[in-house]
Amino acid sequence: MNYLEKAELWKNNKNLESNLRKELEAMDDAQLQEAFTNDLEFGTGGLRGILGAGTNRMNIYIVAKATLGFGRYLLKQSPVACAKGVAISHDNRHQSKEFARISAEVLSSLGFRVFLFEDLRPTPELSFAVRYFHCIGGIMVTASHNPKEYNGYKIYDETGCQLVPKAADKVIEEINKIDDYFNIETSKNHELIQYICKSVDEAYIKEVKKIILRPNLNKNFKLVYTPLHGTGQVFAPEVLKSVGYDVYPLACQMTNDPDFSGVKTSNPENKEAYDEAIEYAKQIGANIVLATDPDADRLGIAVLHNGEYVLFTGNQTAALILDYILKTRKELNTLPKDGYVFTTNVSSTLPIAIAKKYNMNVEITLTGFKFIGEKAHEMEAGKGTYVFGFEESYGCLISDCVRDKDSIQAILMLCETAAYYNEKGMDLIDALNEIYKEYGYYKEGITNISLQGLEGAKKIQRIMDFFRTTEIALKGFKILAKDDVKLGIKHDYVTDKSSKINLPSSNVIKYYLNDNMWFVLRPSGTEPKLKVYYGVKGTSLEDAQNRLDELSKEVLSIVNMIK
Protein backbone atom coordinates (compact mmCIF):
# COMPACT_ATOMS: atom_id res chain seq x y z
CA MET A 1 0.00 0.00 0.00
CA ASN A 2 1.52 3.34 -1.06
CA TYR A 3 1.29 6.59 0.86
CA LEU A 4 -1.77 7.85 -1.04
CA GLU A 5 -3.67 4.62 -0.41
CA LYS A 6 -2.78 4.80 3.29
CA ALA A 7 -3.95 8.41 3.45
CA GLU A 8 -7.19 7.51 1.70
CA LEU A 9 -7.79 4.75 4.26
CA TRP A 10 -7.53 7.34 7.01
CA LYS A 11 -9.80 9.80 5.22
CA ASN A 12 -12.46 7.10 4.78
CA ASN A 13 -12.51 6.30 8.49
CA LYS A 14 -15.78 7.84 9.67
CA ASN A 15 -14.66 7.78 13.30
CA LEU A 16 -11.30 9.51 12.72
CA GLU A 17 -10.62 12.06 15.45
CA SER A 18 -11.75 15.48 14.27
CA ASN A 19 -8.42 17.22 14.90
CA LEU A 20 -6.57 14.53 12.94
CA ARG A 21 -9.08 14.75 10.09
CA LYS A 22 -8.66 18.51 9.93
CA GLU A 23 -4.89 18.14 9.79
CA LEU A 24 -5.12 15.38 7.18
CA GLU A 25 -7.36 17.39 4.87
CA ALA A 26 -4.93 20.33 4.96
CA MET A 27 -1.90 18.24 3.89
CA ASP A 28 -0.29 18.71 0.47
CA ASP A 29 1.35 15.84 -1.41
CA ALA A 30 4.78 16.31 0.17
CA GLN A 31 3.26 16.30 3.66
CA LEU A 32 1.27 13.17 2.85
CA GLN A 33 4.46 11.43 1.75
CA GLU A 34 6.19 12.33 5.02
CA ALA A 35 3.21 11.25 7.13
CA PHE A 36 2.34 7.98 5.37
CA THR A 37 5.21 6.54 3.32
CA ASN A 38 6.85 4.95 6.36
CA ASP A 39 5.60 3.62 9.67
CA LEU A 40 7.14 4.73 12.95
CA GLU A 41 9.81 2.24 13.98
CA PHE A 42 11.30 1.24 17.31
CA GLY A 43 14.79 2.73 17.70
CA THR A 44 17.29 3.00 20.56
CA GLY A 45 14.70 4.95 22.57
CA GLY A 46 11.55 3.09 21.50
CA LEU A 47 8.82 4.65 19.39
CA ARG A 48 9.22 8.40 18.88
CA GLY A 49 7.85 10.87 16.36
CA ILE A 50 6.03 14.10 15.61
CA LEU A 51 2.45 14.31 16.86
CA GLY A 52 -0.17 14.25 14.13
CA ALA A 53 -2.10 12.25 11.54
CA GLY A 54 -0.38 9.44 9.68
CA THR A 55 1.40 6.11 10.11
CA ASN A 56 4.71 7.96 10.56
CA ARG A 57 3.29 10.14 13.33
CA MET A 58 2.41 9.74 17.00
CA ASN A 59 -1.37 9.54 17.52
CA ILE A 60 -3.90 7.42 19.42
CA TYR A 61 -4.19 4.87 16.60
CA ILE A 62 -0.47 4.23 16.35
CA VAL A 63 -0.23 4.01 20.15
CA ALA A 64 -3.16 1.57 20.30
CA LYS A 65 -1.59 -0.54 17.55
CA ALA A 66 1.78 -0.62 19.31
CA THR A 67 0.13 -1.53 22.61
CA LEU A 68 -1.92 -4.34 21.07
CA GLY A 69 1.23 -5.74 19.48
CA PHE A 70 3.09 -5.45 22.79
CA GLY A 71 0.22 -7.12 24.64
CA ARG A 72 0.10 -10.04 22.20
CA TYR A 73 3.86 -10.43 22.53
CA LEU A 74 3.59 -10.54 26.34
CA LEU A 75 0.83 -13.16 26.17
CA LYS A 76 3.24 -15.42 24.30
CA GLN A 77 5.95 -14.90 26.93
CA SER A 78 4.06 -16.25 29.92
CA PRO A 79 0.80 -18.05 30.69
CA VAL A 80 0.36 -15.70 33.66
CA ALA A 81 1.14 -12.50 31.77
CA CYS A 82 -2.31 -11.02 32.35
CA ALA A 83 -2.23 -11.74 36.08
CA LYS A 84 1.24 -10.20 36.46
CA GLY A 85 0.16 -7.08 34.60
CA VAL A 86 1.82 -4.02 33.06
CA ALA A 87 2.88 -0.73 34.69
CA ILE A 88 2.29 2.51 32.72
CA SER A 89 3.50 6.07 33.26
CA HIS A 90 3.81 9.29 31.25
CA ASP A 91 5.59 12.65 31.08
CA ASN A 92 4.29 16.22 30.64
CA ARG A 93 3.93 16.30 26.85
CA HIS A 94 0.90 16.96 24.68
CA GLN A 95 -1.32 13.83 24.68
CA SER A 96 0.98 11.89 27.03
CA LYS A 97 -1.79 11.27 29.56
CA GLU A 98 -4.19 10.30 26.77
CA PHE A 99 -1.68 7.87 25.25
CA ALA A 100 -1.11 6.30 28.66
CA ARG A 101 -4.88 5.90 29.12
CA ILE A 102 -5.34 4.36 25.67
CA SER A 103 -2.50 1.93 26.39
CA ALA A 104 -4.13 0.94 29.68
CA GLU A 105 -7.51 0.41 28.01
CA VAL A 106 -6.05 -1.74 25.21
CA LEU A 107 -4.23 -3.95 27.70
CA SER A 108 -7.16 -4.26 30.10
CA SER A 109 -9.36 -5.27 27.15
CA LEU A 110 -6.88 -8.08 26.52
CA GLY A 111 -7.29 -9.14 30.15
CA PHE A 112 -4.15 -7.61 31.65
CA ARG A 113 -3.99 -6.06 35.08
CA VAL A 114 -2.72 -2.50 34.63
CA PHE A 115 -0.88 -0.35 37.17
CA LEU A 116 -1.42 3.18 35.87
CA PHE A 117 0.19 6.26 37.40
CA GLU A 118 -2.44 8.95 37.94
CA ASP A 119 -0.07 11.79 37.11
CA LEU A 120 3.29 12.36 35.47
CA ARG A 121 6.23 10.38 36.86
CA PRO A 122 9.90 9.98 35.85
CA THR A 123 11.03 7.19 33.55
CA PRO A 124 13.26 5.61 36.23
CA GLU A 125 10.29 5.25 38.56
CA LEU A 126 8.40 3.40 35.82
CA SER A 127 11.33 1.00 35.53
CA PHE A 128 11.30 0.57 39.32
CA ALA A 129 7.50 0.07 39.38
CA VAL A 130 7.69 -2.86 36.94
CA ARG A 131 9.76 -4.83 39.46
CA TYR A 132 7.97 -3.42 42.51
CA PHE A 133 4.63 -4.82 41.28
CA HIS A 134 6.25 -7.94 39.73
CA CYS A 135 4.84 -6.98 36.33
CA ILE A 136 5.44 -8.75 33.03
CA GLY A 137 6.22 -5.41 31.35
CA GLY A 138 5.97 -1.65 31.35
CA ILE A 139 5.16 1.34 29.14
CA MET A 140 6.52 4.88 29.47
CA VAL A 141 4.92 7.57 27.31
CA THR A 142 7.64 10.15 26.67
CA ALA A 143 9.75 11.74 23.96
CA SER A 144 12.57 12.44 26.42
CA HIS A 145 14.39 15.65 25.42
CA ASN A 146 12.82 16.12 21.97
CA PRO A 147 11.00 19.36 21.03
CA LYS A 148 7.37 19.93 22.02
CA GLU A 149 6.08 18.68 18.65
CA TYR A 150 7.17 15.14 19.56
CA ASN A 151 5.93 12.33 21.73
CA GLY A 152 7.08 8.77 22.20
CA TYR A 153 6.57 5.36 23.73
CA LYS A 154 9.08 3.10 25.50
CA ILE A 155 8.41 -0.53 26.37
CA TYR A 156 9.96 -2.50 29.23
CA ASP A 157 10.38 -6.18 30.06
CA GLU A 158 9.74 -7.83 33.43
CA THR A 159 13.23 -6.88 34.67
CA GLY A 160 12.42 -3.17 34.32
CA CYS A 161 14.72 -2.87 31.31
CA GLN A 162 13.75 -1.46 27.92
CA LEU A 163 13.35 -4.25 25.38
CA VAL A 164 16.60 -5.22 23.66
CA PRO A 165 16.52 -5.66 19.84
CA LYS A 166 15.73 -9.40 19.77
CA ALA A 167 12.66 -8.90 21.95
CA ALA A 168 11.66 -5.63 20.26
CA ASP A 169 11.79 -7.40 16.88
CA LYS A 170 9.20 -9.90 18.13
CA VAL A 171 6.96 -7.03 19.27
CA ILE A 172 7.35 -5.44 15.84
CA GLU A 173 6.28 -8.73 14.24
CA GLU A 174 3.09 -8.65 16.29
CA ILE A 175 2.47 -5.00 15.47
CA ASN A 176 2.92 -5.64 11.75
CA LYS A 177 0.19 -8.32 11.84
CA ILE A 178 -2.39 -5.69 12.82
CA ASP A 179 -4.20 -4.30 9.78
CA ASP A 180 -7.22 -2.60 11.34
CA TYR A 181 -5.77 -0.25 13.93
CA PHE A 182 -8.83 2.02 13.90
CA ASN A 183 -11.05 -0.49 15.70
CA ILE A 184 -8.82 -1.88 18.44
CA GLU A 185 -10.86 -2.86 21.50
CA THR A 186 -10.50 -0.41 24.40
CA SER A 187 -13.83 -0.72 26.21
CA LYS A 188 -13.52 -3.95 28.22
CA ASN A 189 -12.31 -4.79 31.73
CA HIS A 190 -11.64 -1.26 32.96
CA GLU A 191 -11.92 -2.67 36.49
CA LEU A 192 -8.48 -4.22 35.87
CA ILE A 193 -6.90 -0.75 35.76
CA GLN A 194 -5.45 0.16 39.15
CA TYR A 195 -4.33 3.76 39.70
CA ILE A 196 -1.10 4.05 41.66
CA CYS A 197 0.87 6.84 43.21
CA LYS A 198 2.14 7.25 46.77
CA SER A 199 3.04 3.68 47.69
CA VAL A 200 5.46 3.18 44.84
CA ASP A 201 6.75 6.77 45.21
CA GLU A 202 7.81 6.09 48.78
CA ALA A 203 9.39 2.74 47.93
CA TYR A 204 11.31 4.20 45.01
CA ILE A 205 12.74 7.13 46.99
CA LYS A 206 13.65 4.83 49.89
CA GLU A 207 15.72 2.68 47.51
CA VAL A 208 17.31 5.68 45.80
CA LYS A 209 18.49 7.11 49.11
CA LYS A 210 20.39 3.89 49.84
CA ILE A 211 23.10 5.02 47.41
CA ILE A 212 24.25 7.74 49.85
CA LEU A 213 27.80 6.93 51.00
CA ARG A 214 28.69 9.83 53.33
CA PRO A 215 25.45 11.13 54.92
CA ASN A 216 27.19 13.55 57.30
CA LEU A 217 29.09 15.72 54.83
CA ASN A 218 28.74 19.49 55.26
CA LYS A 219 26.20 20.74 52.71
CA ASN A 220 26.75 24.50 53.08
CA PHE A 221 26.41 25.48 49.41
CA LYS A 222 23.48 26.48 47.24
CA LEU A 223 21.88 24.52 44.40
CA VAL A 224 19.52 25.72 41.68
CA TYR A 225 17.33 23.01 40.17
CA THR A 226 15.17 22.96 37.03
CA PRO A 227 13.10 20.06 35.67
CA LEU A 228 12.73 21.96 32.35
CA HIS A 229 8.95 21.65 32.91
CA GLY A 230 9.21 17.86 33.13
CA THR A 231 8.78 15.02 35.58
CA GLY A 232 11.80 15.78 37.75
CA GLN A 233 9.69 18.34 39.60
CA VAL A 234 7.86 15.45 41.30
CA PHE A 235 10.87 14.31 43.34
CA ALA A 236 14.17 16.14 42.87
CA PRO A 237 13.74 19.25 45.08
CA GLU A 238 12.13 17.40 47.99
CA VAL A 239 14.64 14.55 47.90
CA LEU A 240 17.53 17.03 48.05
CA LYS A 241 15.92 19.01 50.87
CA SER A 242 15.16 15.84 52.85
CA VAL A 243 18.87 14.97 53.08
CA GLY A 244 19.99 18.48 53.96
CA TYR A 245 20.84 20.28 50.72
CA ASP A 246 20.04 23.97 50.23
CA VAL A 247 18.13 23.77 46.95
CA TYR A 248 16.28 26.53 45.08
CA PRO A 249 13.87 25.27 42.38
CA LEU A 250 13.47 27.59 39.39
CA ALA A 251 9.78 28.43 39.76
CA CYS A 252 9.10 29.42 36.14
CA GLN A 253 10.17 25.95 34.96
CA MET A 254 8.59 23.97 37.82
CA THR A 255 5.30 23.72 35.94
CA ASN A 256 3.74 20.87 33.99
CA ASP A 257 3.92 22.73 30.65
CA PRO A 258 3.78 20.65 27.41
CA ASP A 259 4.86 23.69 25.38
CA PHE A 260 8.07 24.17 27.42
CA SER A 261 7.29 27.88 27.28
CA GLY A 262 9.65 28.87 30.09
CA VAL A 263 12.79 27.38 28.54
CA LYS A 264 14.57 27.73 25.20
CA THR A 265 15.15 23.98 24.85
CA SER A 266 14.15 20.92 26.87
CA ASN A 267 17.48 19.18 26.20
CA PRO A 268 20.10 19.51 29.00
CA GLU A 269 22.80 18.72 26.43
CA ASN A 270 22.20 22.19 24.94
CA LYS A 271 23.64 25.21 26.75
CA GLU A 272 20.50 27.28 26.06
CA ALA A 273 18.59 25.01 28.45
CA TYR A 274 20.47 26.60 31.35
CA ASP A 275 20.06 30.30 30.52
CA GLU A 276 17.24 31.09 32.95
CA ALA A 277 18.58 28.79 35.67
CA ILE A 278 22.05 30.32 35.51
CA GLU A 279 20.59 33.81 35.68
CA TYR A 280 18.73 32.79 38.84
CA ALA A 281 21.89 31.15 40.22
CA LYS A 282 23.77 34.43 39.77
CA GLN A 283 21.07 36.30 41.68
CA ILE A 284 21.23 34.03 44.73
CA GLY A 285 24.91 33.06 44.56
CA ALA A 286 24.36 29.35 43.87
CA ASN A 287 27.33 27.05 43.37
CA ILE A 288 25.73 24.45 41.09
CA VAL A 289 22.86 24.40 38.58
CA LEU A 290 21.10 21.06 38.09
CA ALA A 291 18.85 20.35 35.09
CA THR A 292 16.93 17.17 34.31
CA ASP A 293 15.29 16.38 30.99
CA PRO A 294 11.47 16.04 30.70
CA ASP A 295 11.28 12.35 31.67
CA ALA A 296 13.99 12.82 34.33
CA ASP A 297 16.32 10.06 33.29
CA ARG A 298 19.23 12.41 32.45
CA LEU A 299 21.10 15.07 34.42
CA GLY A 300 23.04 18.10 33.20
CA ILE A 301 25.00 20.48 35.44
CA ALA A 302 26.71 23.87 35.43
CA VAL A 303 29.30 24.66 38.11
CA LEU A 304 30.43 28.08 39.40
CA HIS A 305 34.21 28.34 38.92
CA ASN A 306 36.24 31.55 39.01
CA GLY A 307 33.09 33.64 38.67
CA GLU A 308 31.66 31.77 35.67
CA TYR A 309 29.17 28.92 35.35
CA VAL A 310 30.84 26.10 33.45
CA LEU A 311 28.73 23.38 31.79
CA PHE A 312 29.81 19.76 32.16
CA THR A 313 29.37 17.06 29.54
CA GLY A 314 27.75 13.75 30.42
CA ASN A 315 31.16 12.10 30.14
CA GLN A 316 32.71 14.52 32.64
CA THR A 317 29.88 14.11 35.14
CA ALA A 318 30.15 10.33 34.88
CA ALA A 319 33.93 10.44 35.44
CA LEU A 320 33.48 12.61 38.55
CA ILE A 321 30.74 10.45 40.06
CA LEU A 322 32.49 7.16 39.30
CA ASP A 323 35.82 8.37 40.69
CA TYR A 324 34.08 9.50 43.89
CA ILE A 325 32.12 6.24 44.29
CA LEU A 326 35.13 3.98 43.81
CA LYS A 327 37.40 6.13 45.99
CA THR A 328 34.84 6.29 48.78
CA ARG A 329 33.82 2.64 48.66
CA LYS A 330 37.48 1.64 48.83
CA GLU A 331 37.94 3.80 51.94
CA LEU A 332 34.77 2.31 53.47
CA ASN A 333 35.82 -1.25 52.54
CA THR A 334 32.60 -1.77 50.56
CA LEU A 335 34.18 -2.04 47.11
CA PRO A 336 33.30 -5.47 45.69
CA LYS A 337 36.10 -7.62 44.29
CA ASP A 338 33.82 -8.74 41.47
CA GLY A 339 32.52 -5.25 40.63
CA TYR A 340 31.43 -4.27 37.13
CA VAL A 341 31.30 -0.88 35.41
CA PHE A 342 29.35 -0.59 32.16
CA THR A 343 29.64 1.98 29.40
CA THR A 344 28.88 2.33 25.69
CA ASN A 345 31.00 2.40 22.56
CA VAL A 346 30.41 6.13 22.01
CA SER A 347 31.27 7.22 25.56
CA SER A 348 34.49 8.57 27.04
CA THR A 349 37.24 6.09 27.86
CA LEU A 350 38.29 8.14 30.93
CA PRO A 351 35.85 6.30 33.25
CA ILE A 352 37.28 3.03 31.93
CA ALA A 353 40.75 4.11 33.08
CA ILE A 354 39.31 5.07 36.48
CA ALA A 355 37.49 1.75 36.83
CA LYS A 356 40.60 -0.25 36.00
CA LYS A 357 42.64 1.57 38.67
CA TYR A 358 40.24 0.10 41.23
CA ASN A 359 40.32 -3.36 39.58
CA MET A 360 36.75 -3.15 38.34
CA ASN A 361 35.63 -5.26 35.42
CA VAL A 362 34.57 -3.11 32.46
CA GLU A 363 32.11 -4.06 29.73
CA ILE A 364 31.25 -1.94 26.69
CA THR A 365 27.79 -2.10 25.12
CA LEU A 366 26.02 -0.45 22.21
CA THR A 367 24.36 2.96 22.62
CA GLY A 368 21.08 2.72 24.48
CA PHE A 369 20.70 2.16 28.20
CA LYS A 370 18.68 -0.97 27.51
CA PHE A 371 21.97 -2.77 26.95
CA ILE A 372 23.34 -1.61 30.32
CA GLY A 373 20.05 -2.59 31.96
CA GLU A 374 20.40 -6.01 30.38
CA LYS A 375 23.92 -6.33 31.82
CA ALA A 376 22.68 -5.29 35.26
CA HIS A 377 20.12 -8.10 35.12
CA GLU A 378 22.88 -10.58 34.23
CA MET A 379 24.62 -9.68 37.51
CA GLU A 380 21.73 -11.29 39.41
CA ALA A 381 22.79 -14.68 38.06
CA GLY A 382 26.05 -14.45 40.00
CA LYS A 383 28.29 -13.11 37.26
CA GLY A 384 29.40 -10.18 39.40
CA THR A 385 28.30 -7.08 41.30
CA TYR A 386 26.81 -4.09 39.53
CA VAL A 387 28.66 -0.88 40.55
CA PHE A 388 27.99 1.77 37.91
CA GLY A 389 26.74 2.30 34.36
CA PHE A 390 26.74 5.36 32.15
CA GLU A 391 26.45 6.69 28.62
CA GLU A 392 27.71 9.96 27.19
CA SER A 393 24.24 11.44 26.70
CA TYR A 394 24.00 12.58 30.35
CA GLY A 395 22.66 9.31 31.75
CA CYS A 396 23.96 7.11 34.55
CA LEU A 397 22.77 4.52 37.06
CA ILE A 398 24.26 3.86 40.50
CA SER A 399 21.82 1.39 42.06
CA ASP A 400 20.28 -1.24 39.81
CA CYS A 401 16.99 -1.08 41.72
CA VAL A 402 16.22 0.76 38.47
CA ARG A 403 17.20 -0.69 35.09
CA ASP A 404 17.30 2.57 33.15
CA LYS A 405 19.08 5.92 33.47
CA ASP A 406 18.09 7.68 36.69
CA SER A 407 18.61 11.41 37.18
CA ILE A 408 17.31 11.31 40.77
CA GLN A 409 20.13 8.92 41.68
CA ALA A 410 22.57 11.01 39.64
CA ILE A 411 21.53 14.22 41.44
CA LEU A 412 22.03 12.69 44.87
CA MET A 413 25.47 11.29 44.06
CA LEU A 414 26.63 14.37 42.14
CA CYS A 415 25.68 16.61 45.09
CA GLU A 416 27.42 14.26 47.52
CA THR A 417 30.53 14.44 45.32
CA ALA A 418 30.31 18.23 45.39
CA ALA A 419 29.90 18.24 49.19
CA TYR A 420 32.95 15.98 49.57
CA TYR A 421 35.17 18.33 47.56
CA ASN A 422 33.60 21.44 49.09
CA GLU A 423 34.90 20.29 52.49
CA LYS A 424 38.36 20.24 50.91
CA GLY A 425 37.95 23.78 49.56
CA MET A 426 37.47 22.55 45.99
CA ASP A 427 34.68 22.85 43.45
CA LEU A 428 33.84 20.21 40.84
CA ILE A 429 36.07 21.85 38.21
CA ASP A 430 38.98 21.56 40.62
CA ALA A 431 38.07 17.92 41.20
CA LEU A 432 37.89 17.19 37.49
CA ASN A 433 41.27 18.81 36.92
CA GLU A 434 42.76 16.53 39.57
CA ILE A 435 41.35 13.54 37.69
CA TYR A 436 42.87 14.81 34.44
CA LYS A 437 46.28 15.22 36.12
CA GLU A 438 46.17 11.60 37.22
CA TYR A 439 44.70 9.89 34.15
CA GLY A 440 45.36 12.24 31.24
CA TYR A 441 43.40 14.96 29.49
CA TYR A 442 40.44 13.28 27.82
CA LYS A 443 38.01 15.25 25.70
CA GLU A 444 35.00 14.21 23.65
CA GLY A 445 32.75 15.83 21.10
CA ILE A 446 29.72 15.13 18.97
CA THR A 447 28.39 16.49 15.68
CA ASN A 448 24.66 16.12 15.02
CA ILE A 449 23.99 16.25 11.30
CA SER A 450 20.26 16.87 10.84
CA LEU A 451 18.88 15.29 7.65
CA GLN A 452 15.11 15.56 7.56
CA GLY A 453 12.54 13.47 5.73
CA LEU A 454 12.80 10.62 3.25
CA GLU A 455 15.66 12.17 1.31
CA GLY A 456 17.53 12.81 4.54
CA ALA A 457 17.19 9.14 5.50
CA LYS A 458 18.58 8.13 2.10
CA LYS A 459 21.58 10.43 2.52
CA ILE A 460 22.34 9.03 5.97
CA GLN A 461 22.38 5.58 4.40
CA ARG A 462 24.72 6.75 1.61
CA ILE A 463 27.14 8.16 4.19
CA MET A 464 27.13 4.94 6.23
CA ASP A 465 27.59 2.83 3.08
CA PHE A 466 30.58 4.96 2.07
CA PHE A 467 32.38 4.49 5.38
CA ARG A 468 31.41 0.81 5.41
CA THR A 469 32.88 0.06 1.97
CA THR A 470 35.64 2.65 1.49
CA GLU A 471 39.09 2.66 3.08
CA ILE A 472 39.54 6.21 4.35
CA ALA A 473 42.71 7.98 5.46
CA LEU A 474 43.19 10.85 7.92
CA LYS A 475 46.10 13.27 7.60
CA GLY A 476 46.82 13.81 11.29
CA PHE A 477 45.78 10.45 12.70
CA LYS A 478 46.63 6.81 12.18
CA ILE A 479 43.72 4.39 11.84
CA LEU A 480 44.50 1.24 13.83
CA ALA A 481 41.21 -0.66 13.59
CA LYS A 482 37.59 -0.40 12.49
CA ASP A 483 34.44 -1.94 13.97
CA ASP A 484 31.51 -2.52 11.64
CA VAL A 485 28.87 -3.46 14.18
CA LYS A 486 26.22 -4.07 11.53
CA LEU A 487 28.37 -6.76 9.92
CA GLY A 488 29.75 -7.87 13.29
CA ILE A 489 33.37 -7.52 12.16
CA LYS A 490 36.44 -5.79 13.59
CA HIS A 491 39.31 -5.24 11.14
CA ASP A 492 42.78 -4.65 12.59
CA TYR A 493 44.79 -2.56 10.11
CA VAL A 494 48.07 -3.25 11.94
CA THR A 495 47.84 -7.03 11.47
CA ASP A 496 45.44 -6.89 8.49
CA LYS A 497 43.22 -9.46 10.21
CA SER A 498 39.50 -9.50 10.92
CA SER A 499 37.60 -10.92 13.89
CA LYS A 500 34.02 -11.13 15.15
CA ILE A 501 32.48 -8.48 17.45
CA ASN A 502 30.48 -9.68 20.44
CA LEU A 503 27.73 -7.07 20.10
CA PRO A 504 24.21 -7.16 18.62
CA SER A 505 24.06 -6.05 14.98
CA SER A 506 23.57 -2.28 14.70
CA ASN A 507 24.25 0.33 12.05
CA VAL A 508 27.35 1.67 13.81
CA ILE A 509 30.93 2.13 12.59
CA LYS A 510 33.78 2.86 15.00
CA TYR A 511 37.37 3.78 14.13
CA TYR A 512 40.22 3.28 16.62
CA LEU A 513 43.09 5.74 16.20
CA ASN A 514 46.55 6.26 17.64
CA ASP A 515 47.05 7.53 21.22
CA ASN A 516 43.75 6.09 22.50
CA MET A 517 41.65 8.29 20.18
CA TRP A 518 38.56 7.23 18.22
CA PHE A 519 35.46 8.32 16.31
CA VAL A 520 32.05 6.74 15.64
CA LEU A 521 29.32 7.22 13.04
CA ARG A 522 25.80 6.26 14.11
CA PRO A 523 22.37 7.20 12.76
CA SER A 524 20.09 8.30 15.60
CA GLY A 525 17.46 5.76 16.55
CA THR A 526 14.95 8.44 17.56
CA GLU A 527 15.63 11.52 15.43
CA PRO A 528 16.42 12.31 11.74
CA LYS A 529 20.12 12.75 12.47
CA LEU A 530 23.50 11.24 11.76
CA LYS A 531 25.61 11.42 14.90
CA VAL A 532 29.40 11.57 14.74
CA TYR A 533 31.19 11.05 18.06
CA TYR A 534 34.87 11.76 18.77
CA GLY A 535 37.22 10.99 21.64
CA VAL A 536 40.79 12.21 22.11
CA LYS A 537 43.48 12.26 24.78
CA GLY A 538 46.02 15.07 25.06
CA THR A 539 48.95 16.24 27.17
CA SER A 540 46.90 19.22 28.38
CA LEU A 541 43.36 20.55 28.02
CA GLU A 542 44.56 22.83 25.23
CA ASP A 543 46.29 19.96 23.43
CA ALA A 544 43.19 17.78 23.78
CA GLN A 545 40.96 20.55 22.38
CA ASN A 546 43.31 21.04 19.42
CA ARG A 547 43.28 17.32 18.69
CA LEU A 548 39.48 17.22 18.95
CA ASP A 549 39.10 20.17 16.57
CA GLU A 550 41.49 18.59 14.08
CA LEU A 551 39.83 15.17 14.22
CA SER A 552 36.30 16.51 13.78
CA LYS A 553 37.42 18.74 10.90
CA GLU A 554 39.01 15.82 9.05
CA VAL A 555 36.09 13.44 9.57
CA LEU A 556 33.46 16.01 8.60
CA SER A 557 35.40 16.91 5.44
CA ILE A 558 34.88 13.28 4.32
CA VAL A 559 31.21 13.28 5.36
CA ASN A 560 30.50 16.56 3.54
CA MET A 561 31.88 15.34 0.23
CA ILE A 562 29.33 12.49 0.11
CA LYS A 563 26.34 13.61 -1.94
Side-chain angles (χ1 to χ4, degrees), residues 51 176 182 221 265 292 319 441 462 490 533 549 556 558:
L51 290 159
N176 289 340
F182 291 121
F221 53 91
T265 171
T292 55
Y441 295 85
R462 289 196 297 272
K490 175 189 282 290
Y533 305 81
D549 292 343
L556 292 178
I558 299 173

Side-chain angles (χ1 to χ4, degrees), residues 98-287:
E98 182 179 8
F99 291 164
R101 177 184 57 79
I102 289 292
S103 298
E105 291 175 351
V106 169
L107 289 171
S108 66
S109 294
L110 286 174
F112 283 90
R113 292 179 70 198
V114 177
F115 301 91
L116 178 63
F117 281 92
E118 287 185 281
D119 205 352
L120 76 170
R121 286 295 184 274
T123 286
E125 189 182 7
L126 182 277
S127 173
F128 176 84
V130 170
R131 295 168 70 198
Y132 178 80
F133 290 111
H134 306 289
C135 293
I136 190 71
I139 296 171
M140 179 71 195
V141 179
T142 179
S144 186
H145 60 279
N146 286 75
K148 64 181 181 180
E149 295 81 10
Y150 283 75
N151 212 325
Y153 178 99
K154 300 177 181 180
I155 51 177
Y156 291 76
D157 64 19
E158 63 185 338
T159 73
C161 177
Q162 285 191 60
L163 264 65
V164 296
K166 286 184 180 179
D169 287 345
K170 292 179 181 178
V171 175
I172 292 167
E173 286 179 15
E174 296 297 330
I175 293 171
N176 289 340
K177 294 176 185 176
I178 301 167
D179 293 323
D180 184 6
Y181 43 82
F182 291 121
N183 295 295
I184 293 171
E185 182 62 64
T186 60
S187 62
K188 297 179 180 177
N189 306 324
H190 284 191
E191 70 278 4
L192 293 175
I193 300 174
Q194 177 183 339
Y195 289 94
I196 56 173
C197 199
K198 295 298 180 185
S199 62
V200 68
D201 288 350
E202 292 167 359
Y204 166 63
I205 294 304
K206 182 179 179 180
E207 283 298 318
V208 166
K209 286 183 178 179
K210 289 179 181 179
I211 69 171
I212 296 171
L213 297 172
R214 300 179 192 267
N216 298 319
L217 288 169
N218 193 325
K219 303 176 178 70
N220 61 338
F221 53 91
K222 292 181 179 179
L223 306 167
V224 165
Y225 169 73
T226 172
L228 303 177
H229 292 298
T231 60
Q233 61 188 280
V234 177
F235 293 126
E238 291 307 315
V239 168
L240 287 169
K241 288 177 184 177
S242 72
V243 293
Y245 289 102
D246 190 13
V247 59
Y248 296 78
L250 182 60
C252 65
Q253 294 173 6
M254 286 285 293
T255 58
N256 182 359
D257 182 357
D259 289 317
F260 302 101
S261 53
V263 65
K264 296 179 179 68
T265 171
S266 58
N267 187 353
E269 292 182 75
N270 299 335
K271 63 180 182 179
E272 296 83 5
Y274 301 83
D275 287 353
E276 294 82 7
I278 288 176
E279 187 59 36
Y280 182 43
K282 289 177 180 177
Q283 293 173 16
I284 66 171
N287 303 79

